[in-house]
Amino acid sequence: MLRDTPDAALSLALDALREERFDLGDDRVARALRERGSEWVAQDVRIGHPNPSWNTGFVDAMLSDTLLTVVPGLWRHATPTLVMASAQAHREGAELVAFSHVTVRGWTSSNDAAPLLKAALDRVEASGNVVSREPLHGVPNDGAPASQAFVREVLGWR
């Protein structure tokens, strides 16, 4: 929960996610929410490459857990992950939900983008507008943009 409007809360979250190397998605989420008459505002962000080359995957595997991983050019590529950042009005301001969806396709299914999401949410909390923060282990499929059903239906993310 943030002491702010939903649009301002979403903007704050997106700025923090971009600082952690997440890329903004297109406008499909906003269009879908408008068409459904939803009270949510949302934007998807992504990180990782869904189809790394054989060489990239091999180099990532060979360098993992070695001292060479501190060299920026040799950093492991993040597992393809979509984060849905969404906000809606709440009596205290805005409810902000940021939930990650790791792909089930590709060469790995680890949630190595989780520390980047945590760092982004720590930035949001540092803004001083946060009323409360709770970890989520899942989002119900009740029309919320952060739910797996919404992400699958609107963005085709699996």
Side-chain angles (χ1 to χ4, degrees):
M1 302 294 168
L2 277 83
R3 285 184 287 272
D4 221 330
T5 66
D7 288 326
L10 180 61
S11 179
L12 181 63
L14 293 175
D15 289 345
L17 287 160
R18 281 193 300 253
E19 286 187 46
E20 295 299 329
R21 303 185 327 243
F22 286 88
D23 297 318
L24 289 177
D26 55 29
D27 67 341
R28 287 182 287 174
V29 171
R31 283 186 289 138
L33 291 172
R34 272 194 309 274
E35 289 169 4
R36 296 171 185 204
S38 177
E39 296 177 2
W40 290 92
V41 292
Q43 175 66 58
D44 62 303
V45 295
R46 300 167 191 235
I47 196 166
H49 302 285
N51 297 311
S53 68
W54 183 87
N55 290 340
T56 303
F58 180 75
V59 169
D60 282 349
M62 293 302 293
L63 294 177
S64 64
D65 300 323
T66 71
L67 291 177
L68 293 176
T69 57
V70 298
V71 178
L74 298 177
W75 284 350
R76 182 176 184 275
H77 298 278
T79 300
T81 305
L82 178 142
V83 172
M84 184 63 73
S86 55
Q88 70 175 349
H90 187 271
R91 68 182 177 281
E92 295 181 43
E95 175 186 12
L96 174 67
V97 177
F99 195 78
S100 64
H101 299 272
V102 178
T103 188
V104 294
R105 297 178 175 159
W107 54 286
T108 183
S109 61
S110 66
N111 193 4
D112 51 5
L116 302 175
L117 176 57
K118 181 187 178 314
L121 294 175
D122 288 346
R123 287 181 202 278
V124 170
E125 192 167 9
S127 73
N129 289 336
V130 174
V131 176
S132 67
R133 178 175 170 183
E134 299 172 23
L136 295 174
H137 301 291
V139 177
N141 291 329
D142 60 359
S147 72
Q148 180 64 42
F150 185 93
V151 168
R152 185 177 40 250
E153 179 186 328
V154 173
L155 300 173
W157 187 263
R158 303 214 187 297

